[in-house]
């Protein structure tokens, strides 16, 4: 009887599988029938549309409609063969108060619009077919809107037409393209002629392709935008366009006049900018690595490492971490060359970060041996926690930089400047350590100058160059950051030339240890009595060479002996040689101040 339950369960599983398969086949067949019915109904409605019955342009508020008509009625400008490229701009938002598309001024759930009179930044990427004289070419693309504090609002998928004869374009933007979008584009056309041309163009394009689009009920409804543009003459491979952008279902109006037009460049120029930037950034990162290797070779010994601040190196590791993540994201820009160059630059930042971490661990082991031993004792868990903290800082910093880099609000600009100032304070710990030690002989001058210049390139390029590849608007606060970082480098160079405490008034400087002080009496009573009875008999033994030390002025000059802060006595030459290797007392391991 043991076989019966097993065969019963097998039969049950097979039965359930067959029922599921038949059910899915029925569901898919029913869905396909629904799609076929929708396609037939859609094409019937689409072909029967007329400008007089179905146009939504006439329902726009009077001020919006007149502005759009003026753009299309203006004399023909110097038209472009294609408008493919990257665009950006920022303008204040206006509510017309003349639309009743939403109930009593309250948006439905899921709708998001900028506040009235706030600034909105637009970043747009367009891909258009070459214009054919006498007809319209199809345009597609994406647009991203951000409000005045840099917060993300929405990403729009764009569909529309461009007329090369007079340099005008009409685009319709929705959060997600559906089969209804093409019909909305045609209905939003500003004239009967444009309506019929759009209808003909989409009839050819969508023939046999309609089923690849989602059904209207499958996409989430939100604010949709109608964009009317007129392109004017622009130098070189650049674009300048006046624009009226309006969301009928959210009552949001953006107007780009001729004095503040939508600015853009061709895809070729955009790729060239990215290529030049990535090549320059890659070369500068390699320069940083070379400078770091030269500096690390200069401070191989314990004494040399003890003169380097581990917090200074940690600050540079954080900058390399930001550089890696930002360039990895930037490598996703259009164009295979940019993608490869951006990825290589990101990997170069990763190598720079790894070299800095290796140097940092050596310095940290000298300054904080207990913490290194504790980290090693924790094994993988300790290292994992360290990495999690590091990447948490990276994530927070990247979010703040991303959110506040595209805004003109001064409060946000000051916050961004404060974050950059904190990141670019990496020289301050080294300046403080030099004050403590009283010297700065171990940092190479070319390392100080080279690292300062190369690490300032990225923020200066994006926040000072008005024509940067990312369309980030310049901020005057960048010059304060540049001056602040250069001032730190200047202090380090002067510390090397004039001493680590040159800028501290003499009464405030910490006392320096005198290694030529009179040696203390021997610790044991017998040696002390012998030394008092015979002044020529040495009372101390050098623990380095194990030879007796005769203190000056008994038999040798003052430089012949040296007394440490912990009151151990050595030959002056022996201790000097020892301190070139290790700044610790050979007897008790007390840290020694440099001479």
């Amino acid at each position: 009887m043991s076989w019966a339950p097993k065969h019963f369960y097998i039969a049950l599983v097979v039965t359930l599988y067959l029922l599921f398969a038949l059910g899915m086949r029925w569901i898919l067949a029913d869905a396909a029938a629904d799609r076929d019915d929708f396609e037939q109904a859609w094409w019937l409605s689409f072909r029967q549309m007329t400008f007089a019955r179905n146009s939504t342009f006439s329902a726009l508020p009077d001020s919006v409609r007149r502005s759009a008509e003026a753009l299309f009625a203006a004399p023909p400008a110097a038209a472009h063969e294609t408008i493919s490229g990257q665009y950006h701009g920022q303008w204040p938002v206006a509510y017309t108060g003349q639309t009743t598309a939403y109930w009593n001024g309250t948006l439905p759930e899921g709708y998001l619009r900028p506040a009235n009179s706030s600034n909105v930044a637009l970043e747009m990427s367009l891909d258009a077919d070459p214009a054919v004289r006498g007809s319209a070419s199809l345009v597609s693309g994406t647009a991203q809107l951000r409000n005045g504090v840099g917060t993300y609002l929405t990403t729009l998928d764009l569909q529309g037409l461009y007329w090369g004869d007079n340099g005008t374009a009409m685009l319709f933007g929705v959060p997600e393209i559906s089969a209804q979008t093409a019909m909305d584009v045609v209905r939003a056309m500003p004239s009967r002629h444009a309506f019929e041309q759009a209808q003909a163009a989409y009839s050819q394009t969508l023939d046999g392709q309609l089923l690849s689009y989602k059904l209207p009920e499958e996409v989430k409804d939100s604010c949709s935008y109608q964009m009317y543009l007129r392109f004017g003459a622009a130098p070189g491979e650049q674009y300048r366009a006046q624009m009226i952008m309006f969301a009928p279902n959210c009552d949001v109006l953006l107007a780009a006049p001729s004095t503040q037009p939508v600015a853009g460049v061709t895809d070729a120029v955009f790729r060239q900018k990215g290529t030049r930037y990535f090549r320059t950034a890659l070369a500068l990162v390699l320069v940083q690595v070379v400078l770091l290797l030269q500096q690390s070779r200069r401070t191989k010994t314990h004494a040399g490492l003890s003169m380097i601040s581990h917090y200074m190196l940690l600050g540079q590791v954080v900058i390399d971490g930001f550089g890696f993540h930002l360039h990895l994201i930037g490598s996703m820009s259009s164009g295979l060359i940019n993608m490869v160059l951006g990825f290589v630059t990101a990997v170069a930042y990763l190598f720079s970060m790894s070299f800095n971490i290796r140097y940092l661990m050596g310095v940290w082991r000298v300054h904080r041996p207990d913490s290194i031993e504790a980290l090693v004792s924790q094994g993988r868990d300790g290292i994992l926690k360290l990495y999690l903290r590091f990447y948490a800082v990276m994530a927070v910093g990247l979010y703040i930089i991303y959110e506040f880099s595209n805004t003109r609000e001064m409060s946000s600009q000051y916050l961004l400047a404060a974050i950059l100032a904190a990141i670019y304070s990496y020289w301050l710990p080294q300046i403080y350590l030099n004050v403590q030690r009283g010297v700065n002989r171990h940092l190479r001058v070319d390392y100080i100058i080279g690292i300062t210049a190369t690490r300032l390139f990225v923020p200066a390029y994006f926040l000072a160059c008005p024509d940067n590849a990312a369309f980030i608007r310049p901020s005057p606060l960048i010059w304060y950051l540049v001056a602040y970082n250069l001032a730190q480098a200047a202090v380090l160079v002067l510390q090397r030339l004039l001493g680590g405490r040159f800028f501290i008034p003499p009464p405030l400087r910490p006392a320096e240890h005198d290694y030529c002080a009179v040696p203390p009496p021997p610790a044991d009573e017998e040696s002390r009595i012998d030394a008092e009875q015979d002044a020529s008999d040495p009372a101390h033994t050098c623990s380095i060479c194990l030879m007796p030390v005769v203190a000056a002025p008994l038999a040798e000059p003052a430089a012949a002996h040296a007394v440490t802060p912990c009151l151990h006595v050595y030959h002056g030459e022996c201790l000097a040689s020892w301190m070139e290797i290790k700044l610790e007392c050979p007897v008790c391991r007390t840290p020694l101040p440099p001479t």
Side-chain angles (χ1 to χ4, degrees):
M1 296 296 293
S2 61
W3 57 269
K6 183 172 73 173
H7 286 75
F8 169 76
Y9 288 122
I10 293 175
L12 179 63
V13 170
V14 171
T15 302
L16 291 175
Y17 173 77
L18 292 175
L19 290 175
F20 175 77
L22 291 174
M24 288 300 299
R25 183 176 180 181
W26 176 81
I27 292 173
L28 292 176
D30 189 58
D34 291 341
R35 296 281 299 191
D36 290 340
D37 292 341
F38 170 79
E39 183 178 15
Q40 294 178 7
W42 188 93
W43 277 112
L44 180 63
S45 299
F46 185 79
R47 294 190 176 103
Q48 291 180 348
M49 285 196 311
T50 64
F51 181 75
R53 290 199 315 265
N54 304 103
S55 173
T56 58
F57 182 77
S58 58
L60 295 176
D62 293 340
S63 59
V64 177
R65 188 179 68 254
R66 286 195 297 267
S67 299
E69 289 174 343
L71 290 182
F72 276 72
H80 302 273
E81 180 180 354
T82 179
I83 57 173
S84 297
Q86 309 296 319
Y87 299 82
H88 64 99
Q90 179 170 299
W91 309 273
V93 170
Y95 294 168
T96 66
Q98 300 176 15
T99 177
T100 57
Y102 55 93
W103 178 254
N104 197 26
T106 302
L107 292 176
E109 183 179 357
Y111 283 59
L112 187 63
R113 65 174 180 174
N116 193 16
S117 302
S118 64
N119 286 330
V120 166
L122 169 69
E123 294 179 6
M124 184 167 59
S125 175
L126 296 181
D127 183 16
D129 297 332
V132 179
R133 188 170 183 81
S135 63
S137 58
L138 292 174
V139 182
S140 61
T142 59
Q144 189 176 82
L145 296 177
R146 291 181 171 276
N147 66 11
V149 294
T151 306
Y152 166 78
L153 283 174
T154 186
T155 296
L156 302 173
D157 288 325
L158 303 176
Q159 294 279 334
L161 279 83
Y162 169 65
W163 289 268
D165 293 342
N166 57 7
T168 56
M170 188 278 152
L171 304 176
F172 195 89
V174 291
E176 191 174 6
I177 294 290
S178 71
Q180 185 67 26
T181 306
M183 194 175 292
D184 292 333
V185 172
V186 175
R187 296 170 63 190
M189 289 297 159
S191 66
R192 181 185 302 275
H193 180 65
F195 185 99
E196 293 172 352
Q197 282 192 320
Q199 195 172 21
Y202 277 103
S203 294
Q204 297 176 1
T205 303
L206 296 179
D207 189 15
Q209 303 295 324
L210 187 63
L211 290 180
S212 62
Y213 288 86
K214 291 183 178 181
L215 297 177
E217 59 269 18
E218 294 176 348
V219 300
K220 186 177 180 180
D221 196 15
S222 186
C223 297
S224 58
Y225 291 82
Q226 299 173 197
M227 304 172 64
Y228 301 91
L229 300 101
R230 182 171 191 81
F231 291 83
E237 296 181 300
Q238 300 183 28
Y239 298 120
R240 296 292 183 271
Q242 302 177 59
M243 180 189 71
I244 296 295
M245 184 175 181
F246 183 66
N249 57 345
C250 294
D251 195 33
V252 176
L253 174 63
L254 285 176
S258 58
T259 56
Q260 193 180 355
V262 181
V265 295
T266 63
D267 287 329
V269 172
F270 179 71
R271 285 192 293 269
Q272 289 173 5
K273 286 184 178 183
T275 301
R276 286 195 296 266
Y277 168 76
F278 282 129
R279 285 176 177 172
T280 305
L282 177 60
L284 293 180
V285 174
L286 295 179
V287 170
Q288 292 174 17
V289 173
V290 172
L291 292 171
L292 177 63
L293 292 176
Q294 292 177 345
Q295 173 61 36
S296 61
R297 282 197 292 266
R298 184 185 180 91
T299 54
K300 290 182 178 179
T301 64
H302 181 281
L305 293 174
S306 67
M307 303 299 290
I308 305 299
S309 170
H310 54 293
Y311 290 113
M312 179 266 289
L313 294 174
L314 181 60
Q316 296 195 47
V317 169
V318 171
I319 295 177
D320 284 335
F322 281 123
F324 167 72
H325 288 91
L326 291 173
H327 287 83
L328 188 63
I329 295 172
S331 67
M332 305 303 173
S333 60
S334 60
L336 179 61
I337 296 179
N338 281 355
M339 184 175 295
V340 173
L341 280 174
F343 180 75
V344 172
T345 306
V347 172
Y349 268 100
L350 189 62
F351 275 113
S352 177
M353 183 169 64
S354 64
F355 282 121
N356 268 301
I357 290 177
R358 182 177 179 182
Y359 193 23
L360 168 64
M361 296 305 290
V363 174
W364 194 2
R365 187 175 289 108
V366 172
H367 285 278
R368 305 282 295 276
D370 295 339
S371 61
I372 289 291
E373 293 176 2
L375 181 63
V376 173
S377 64
Q378 295 178 15
R380 293 183 178 179
D381 292 339
I383 297 176
L384 179 60
K385 291 178 181 178
L386 184 64
Y387 273 101
L388 287 177
R389 292 172 186 170
F390 176 75
Y391 282 105
V393 173
M394 291 291 101
V396 173
L398 285 172
Y399 172 77
I400 294 175
I401 292 174
Y402 181 72
E403 289 293 329
F404 294 104
S405 61
N406 270 321
T407 173
R408 293 185 184 272
E409 298 291 334
M410 290 310 297
S411 59
S412 301
Q413 289 287 305
Y414 286 136
L415 177 59
L416 176 62
I419 294 171
L420 289 176
I423 295 173
Y424 277 81
S425 296
Y426 55 89
W427 287 130
L428 291 183
Q430 185 64 47
I431 294 174
Y432 177 73
L433 182 63
N434 293 340
V435 171
Q436 283 188 315
R437 301 293 194 186
V439 295
N440 180 27
R441 296 192 302 266
H442 292 78
L443 272 187
R444 295 167 56 99
V445 174
D446 58 350
Y447 175 76
I448 298 171
I449 298 175
I451 291 296
T452 301
T454 54
R455 293 202 179 281
L456 279 174
F457 168 74
V458 173
Y461 174 79
F462 287 110
L463 296 177
C465 178
D467 198 29
N468 62 78
F471 298 134
I472 296 176
R473 289 173 299 282
S475 171
L477 297 178
I478 182 61
W479 300 115
Y480 293 98
L481 177 68
V482 171
Y484 174 62
N485 203 225
L486 291 178
Q488 296 176 57
V491 171
L492 283 174
V493 174
L494 290 175
Q495 282 183 318
R496 181 177 176 84
L497 299 175
L498 305 177
R501 301 166 181 167
F502 78 93
F503 56 90
I504 299 178
L508 301 179
R509 295 179 185 177
E512 297 183 5
H513 178 70
D514 182 12
Y515 281 95
C516 298
V518 177
D524 60 293
E525 186 68 17
E526 182 179 353
S527 297
R528 185 183 64 80
I529 295 173
D530 292 341
E532 291 176 352
Q533 292 175 351
D534 187 358
S536 63
D537 184 24
H540 299 278
T541 301
C542 177
S543 299
I544 298 175
C545 66
L546 303 181
M547 297 295 291
V549 179
V550 178
L554 299 178
E556 301 180 30
H561 77 274
V563 182
T564 63
C566 47
L567 302 181
H568 291 110
V569 183
Y570 306 91
H571 290 114
E573 292 182 356
C574 293
L575 185 62
S577 300
W578 172 268
M579 291 176 64
E580 290 180 0
I581 301 173
K582 210 167 190 179
L583 288 177
E584 288 182 353
C585 176
V587 176
C588 63
R589 304 301 179 188
T590 300
L592 300 178
T595 58

